[in-house]
Amino acid sequence: MMKKVFALLAATALLATSCSKDEVIEVSQLTEGYWGECYDNPNFSMDSSVKYKFELDGTYTLKVNHALVDTTVIYTHNYQLQNNVLTLPTDSPAAEQLSYNIIQLNEKEMAWQRVGTSYSEGTLSGDYKHFKHYN
């Protein structure tokens, strides 16, 4: 029961702090510092750190530190931001790109929801991504 209450509260908070449909996100709002993927849910843990750094020229760097094997991998790709939808290419042959609605963005936090999906606790780090801002 507590998990359902927590999920309902999290979804309500997410909607309350969402970007309004009239608010257009500018590239410059993404380009200051790094965005580190993180979650406050005690039922979800990551075995790596994932950081994004967006540049004004339409490129981003993805830095993944795999804690279990003590390696760091850095990828650089192009991105597109249009109508608050962030589109990122992937290295996966199954999907050429992933598109996310930016549903929350302020100077401290950002959240993405994959286009065509809705938030649920089981989709953390897949369909739903949450970030904290680091300079």
Side-chain angles (χ1 to χ4, degrees), residues 37 46-52 62-75:
E37 191 171 349
M46 294 178 62
D47 58 4
S48 60
S49 68
V50 177
K51 291 183 180 178
Y52 289 82
L62 172 61
K63 183 178 181 181
V64 182
N65 180 344
H66 298 282
L68 297 178
V69 291
D70 195 29
T71 60
T72 299
V73 181
I74 299 174
Y75 304 96

Side-chain angles (χ1 to χ4, degrees), residues 11 13 15 19 26 37 41 52 60 79-80 107:
L15 290 173
C19 300
E26 301 292 331
E37 191 171 349
N41 186 325
Y52 289 82
Y60 74 96
Y79 70 89
Q80 293 178 348
E107 57 279 344

Side-chain angles (χ1 to χ4, degrees), residues 107-132:
E107 57 279 344
K108 294 180 181 180
E109 294 180 275
M110 177 167 53
W112 304 347
Q113 184 69 47
R114 187 161 36 174
V115 171
T117 66
S118 59
Y119 176 82
S120 71
E121 196 169 319
T123 65
L124 297 179
S125 188
D127 293 340
Y128 173 82
K129 295 182 180 283
H130 180 262
F131 302 89
K132 293 214 177 181

